[in-house]
């Protein structure tokens, strides 16, 4: 089924270390645009050529600019070289990027229409220039055949008739706006799936939030389906480490270690922001993913056993109330003849019939309740069986991928960088 993925990041200059120990600002925007679009672009600031024209999987590339903006903004090389030229800091922020998973249930034209409509509605109308590329999976390179996704690079400055605004638009950096974009992407994907006649839907909220909503609505089958640990993403760096024959191990890393303290505080050691990756990855991302998949399958087995036990219990109760209804109806119709006078016998017969009627009503009510519970349990059992099968398939995929990356061949580089003489 379709999955939700909408992640964003800021692309900035990554400093490069010189032989003498100093640092120089590195290029990011032009190289990133060339890689994502699968093109050959020249960085005019550093005179480097970034050639990714031979990479595969690029299904469509396009640049969307606001109406009335400068025509040269739709030229990829000119656009991102202008962005590089407008930034003077060595740690400057150059672009905003979003990576979005596309529903594989949609056709290629539907996926393209989905992305273009979303970008024009939420980014281009605000004044951003959107450079996007649609990527199709390459199963021959070990990629999942359902991994259709899009890369979107956005300018941090508003597009005008003269080019890019000299001042960056800071309100685009708010977390509230990012939350709106994440929710709107889920809505846009669900509308596209509905138009395509697909029943599957996606949700941008966490599994815990979705499960709490299901419990509030008394949808126990849905709550049982969401009772699992979310998987983590194993990125290209971790996979490349395994391909090179090394064992990936998460480490505590420092951020912005290239910065030097100012002269006024040169005697005070510089404080670095530390990221404790082992607290999240628990050894390595690959091993952590294996543990999560195995743990979800184990939890699903326990849930399935509990559902089956409750299903049997409800079946026994259903049989009991069926027999109770039959006994009450027979007793109301075929009751014994009392030895008292006819008036007293009639009164007792009336009371017996009323009591039997109350029992029948109560029994029918219980029968309806248990029948509904059985229906919910049957739905939960069906969903649990389906998720268990999907979990086994997922575990096999992870196991096969682990075996491939640990014992398989090295992946050939799909791009090279050289400098002009």
């Amino acid at each position: 089924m379709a999955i939700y993925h909408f992640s964003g990041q800021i692309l900035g200059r990554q400093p490069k270390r010189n032989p003498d120990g100093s640092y120089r600002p590195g290029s990011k925007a032009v190289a990133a645009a060339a890689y994502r679009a699968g093109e050959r672009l020249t960085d005019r600031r550093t005179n480097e050529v970034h050639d990714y024209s031979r990479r595969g999987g690029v299904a469509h590339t396009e640049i969307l600019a606001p109406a009335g903006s400068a025509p040269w903004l739709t030229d990829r090389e000119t656009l991102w070289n202008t962005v590089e030229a407008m930034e003077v800091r060595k740690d400057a922020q150059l672009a905003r990027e979003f990576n979005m998973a596309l529903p594989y249930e949609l056709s290629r034209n539907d996926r393209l229409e989905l992305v273009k409509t979303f970008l024009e509605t939420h980014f281009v109308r605000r004044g951003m220039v959107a450079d996007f590329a649609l990527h199709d999976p390459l199963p021959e390179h070990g990629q999942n055949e359902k991994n259709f996704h899009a890369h979107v690079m956005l300018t941090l400055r508003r597009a005008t008739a003269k080019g890019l605004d000299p001042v960056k638009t800071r309100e685009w950096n708010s977390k509230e706006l990012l939350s709106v974009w994440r929710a709107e992407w889920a809505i846009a994907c669900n509308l596209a799936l509905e138009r395509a006649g697909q029943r599957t839907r996606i949700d941008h909220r966490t599994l815990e939030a979705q499960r709490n909503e299901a419990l509030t609505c008394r949808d126990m089958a849905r709550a049982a389906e969401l009772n699992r640990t979310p998987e983590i993403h194993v990125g290209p760096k971790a996979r490349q480490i395994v391909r090179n024959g090394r064992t990936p191990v998460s480490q505590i890393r420092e951020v912005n270690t290239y910065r030097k303290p100012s002269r006024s505080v040169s005697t005070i050691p510089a404080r670095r922001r530390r990221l404790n990756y082992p607290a999240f990855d628990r050894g390595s991302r690959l091993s952590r993913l294996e543990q999560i998949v195995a743990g979800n399958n184990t939890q699903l087995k326990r849930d399935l056993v509990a559902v089956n036990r409750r299903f049997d219990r409800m079946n026994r109760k259903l049989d009991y109330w069926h027999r109770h209804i039959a006994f009450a109806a027979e007793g109301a119709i075929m009751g014994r003849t009392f030895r008292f006078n006819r008036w007293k016998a009639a009164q007792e017969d009336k009371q017996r019939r009323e009591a039997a009627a109350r029992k029948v009503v109560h029994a029918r009510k219980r029968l309806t309740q248990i029948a509904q519970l059985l229906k919910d349990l049957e739905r939960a059992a069906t969903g649990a069986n389906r998720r268990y099968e999907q979990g086994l398939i997922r575990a096999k995929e992870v196991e096969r991928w682990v075996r491939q990356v640990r014992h398989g061949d090295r992946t050939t580089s799909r791009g090279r960088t050289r400098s002009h003489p």
Side-chain angles (χ1 to χ4, degrees):
M1 60 180 297
I3 63 172
Y4 178 87
H5 179 75
F6 187 94
S7 62
Q9 63 174 336
I10 295 294
L11 300 181
R13 288 181 180 151
Q14 293 181 347
K16 298 181 180 179
R17 186 180 182 88
N18 294 322
D20 58 356
S22 60
Y23 289 90
R24 69 183 189 277
S27 173
K28 187 68 176 179
V30 178
Y35 178 78
R36 284 151 181 78
E39 294 184 0
R40 184 180 186 272
L41 302 181
T42 302
D43 190 342
R44 301 167 188 170
R45 184 176 59 89
T46 61
N47 206 31
E48 290 181 322
V49 175
H50 303 281
D51 187 2
Y52 294 96
S53 56
R54 292 183 299 175
R55 69 161 299 177
V58 181
H60 181 85
T61 61
E62 190 174 347
I63 297 180
L64 303 177
S69 59
W72 58 265
L73 291 173
T74 56
D75 182 78
R76 185 167 287 107
E77 185 171 304
T78 304
L79 170 64
W80 297 114
N81 273 288
T82 302
V83 170
E84 291 275 6
M86 296 180 70
E87 304 295 341
V88 296
R89 293 174 59 95
K90 65 181 180 180
D91 59 346
Q93 295 180 350
L94 304 175
R96 178 179 290 105
E97 185 198 19
F98 287 110
N99 186 357
M100 303 175 290
L102 305 178
Y104 74 93
E105 294 90 348
L106 302 179
S107 64
R108 172 171 294 188
N109 292 334
D110 290 341
R111 288 193 292 267
L112 176 60
E113 183 65 22
L114 167 64
V115 174
K116 289 185 64 175
T117 303
F118 181 80
L119 296 183
E120 291 173 350
T121 303
H122 298 283
F123 300 133
V124 178
R125 290 182 184 176
R126 296 178 184 270
M128 307 181 201
V129 179
D131 181 4
F132 73 95
L134 269 59
H135 289 182
D136 289 348
L138 298 174
E140 61 272 16
H141 292 167
Q143 300 178 10
N144 192 306
E145 60 183 7
K146 301 177 182 178
N147 185 23
F148 296 92
H149 59 279
H151 291 275
V152 183
M153 292 179 60
L154 304 167
T155 57
L156 302 179
R157 303 171 188 269
R158 195 182 305 273
T160 64
K162 297 181 179 179
L164 295 177
D165 195 85
V167 180
K168 293 180 179 178
T169 308
R170 301 298 181 184
E171 58 262 25
W172 294 342
N173 299 334
S174 66
K175 293 183 178 180
E176 292 77 11
L177 189 57
L178 177 60
S179 300
V180 171
W181 287 338
R182 287 178 55 82
E184 290 294 334
W185 175 247
I187 295 174
C189 289
N190 289 333
L191 289 177
L193 289 169
E194 183 178 359
R195 287 193 298 267
Q198 301 291 334
R199 299 183 60 183
T200 182
R201 297 293 183 267
I202 62 175
D203 199 317
H204 69 285
R205 297 171 299 171
T206 62
L207 293 177
E208 182 179 1
Q210 297 178 51
R211 186 171 184 270
N212 291 336
E213 182 187 35
L215 291 174
T216 303
C217 299
R218 307 297 297 174
D219 190 350
M220 308 310 295
R222 178 64 175 167
E225 181 181 354
L226 297 169
N227 186 23
R228 64 181 186 273
T229 304
E231 296 184 9
I232 62 174
H233 175 66
V234 178
K237 291 183 179 180
R239 285 181 279 180
Q240 188 62 35
I241 290 175
V242 178
R243 289 192 185 101
N244 293 336
R246 294 178 293 166
T247 302
V249 178
S250 298
Q251 300 176 0
I252 299 178
R253 302 185 184 276
E254 295 183 347
V255 180
N256 299 333
T257 54
Y258 66 92
R259 292 182 178 174
K260 296 181 180 180
S262 59
R263 294 181 179 179
S264 60
V265 292
S266 58
T267 57
I268 302 176
R271 293 184 179 182
R272 315 298 186 187
R273 186 163 64 93
R274 298 167 66 87
L275 297 179
N276 189 9
Y277 284 107
F280 303 97
D281 298 344
R282 303 183 185 179
S284 71
R285 299 191 70 81
L286 180 58
S287 61
R288 177 60 181 151
L289 177 60
E290 290 181 305
Q291 295 172 8
I292 291 175
V293 173
N296 284 338
N297 289 339
T298 303
Q299 178 64 34
L300 189 56
K301 286 182 180 178
R302 291 196 294 263
D303 294 344
L304 188 58
V305 170
V307 168
N308 288 332
R309 287 178 178 174
R310 191 172 183 186
F311 191 80
D312 295 339
R313 181 167 173 261
M314 291 296 106
N315 269 326
R316 292 194 296 270
K317 284 191 173 183
L318 185 68
D319 180 68
Y320 168 77
W321 287 108
H322 268 301
R323 290 186 284 105
H324 190 78
I325 290 174
F327 178 79
E330 291 177 358
I333 298 174
M334 306 294 293
R336 69 169 68 183
T337 301
F338 291 94
R339 293 184 296 236
F340 301 97
N341 56 51
R342 296 174 65 115
W343 176 85
K344 189 173 183 179
Q347 292 295 323
E348 291 182 353
D349 185 66
K350 181 180 178 180
Q351 294 177 1
R352 186 175 71 254
R353 289 179 182 274
E354 291 177 352
R358 288 194 297 269
K359 290 182 179 180
V360 170
V361 171
H362 174 67
R364 292 191 183 279
K365 181 179 178 181
R366 289 292 295 163
L367 180 65
T368 303
Q369 293 176 348
I370 294 173
Q372 182 63 36
L373 285 175
L374 279 173
K375 187 182 297 183
D376 294 341
L377 286 173
E378 184 177 2
R379 180 184 168 198
T382 303
N385 282 310
R386 184 177 62 254
R387 289 188 296 112
Y388 181 62
E389 294 174 358
Q390 293 175 353
L392 291 178
I393 293 174
R394 176 62 174 162
K396 288 294 184 181
E397 289 179 355
V398 173
E399 181 181 358
R400 183 173 63 255
W401 181 83
V402 171
R403 189 163 56 250
Q404 288 176 355
V405 298
R406 288 179 177 171
H407 303 287
D409 51 350
R410 298 171 180 266
T411 301
T412 306
S413 175
R414 293 171 287 180
R416 62 175 185 268
T417 303
R418 66 176 185 274
S419 300
H420 286 299

